[in-house]
Amino acid sequence: MGNEKVTIKIDSEKCKGCLLCVKVCPRGVIRQADGVNSSGQRYVVVDDPEKCVGCGLCFIMCPDCAIEIEKLTQ
């Protein structure tokens, strides 16, 4: 991916709140949400999508396949 315009989608129901994606994000785009999902887990949300550089590290690190990255068409 790398520096392409992308959109990040996080499935809050799949997320168990391990925060691996938060720790690995070089731009601080992802943060832990205040709420919980139906399993009682504090999931993550995209906080500042404009800062995303499309590196894909969050997608790679997510053990639950809760993150999707889509390239935006221009």
Side-chain angles (χ1 to χ4, degrees):
M1 295 210 170
N3 295 328
E4 297 172 346
K5 292 289 182 185
V6 298
T7 182
I8 301 171
K9 294 180 182 179
I10 299 173
D11 185 337
S12 61
E13 289 303 315
K14 286 184 179 179
C15 180
K16 66 180 176 202
C18 68
L19 303 180
L20 291 173
C21 58
V22 173
K23 293 174 185 171
V24 75
C25 180
R27 303 293 299 261
V29 174
I30 304 170
R31 67 170 175 83
Q32 191 170 41
D34 294 329
V36 295
N37 61 20
S38 64
S39 300
Q41 302 293 324
R42 286 192 61 199
Y43 55 91
V44 297
V45 293
V46 178
D47 193 35
D48 199 351
E50 294 80 30
K51 287 173 39 179
C52 179
V53 294
C55 68
L57 290 174
C58 59
F59 171 79
I60 292 167
M61 288 301 293
C62 183
D64 301 307
C65 300
I67 300 175
E68 243 181 82
I69 299 178
E70 293 180 0
K71 182 178 175 183
L72 297 177
T73 54
Q74 303 196 0

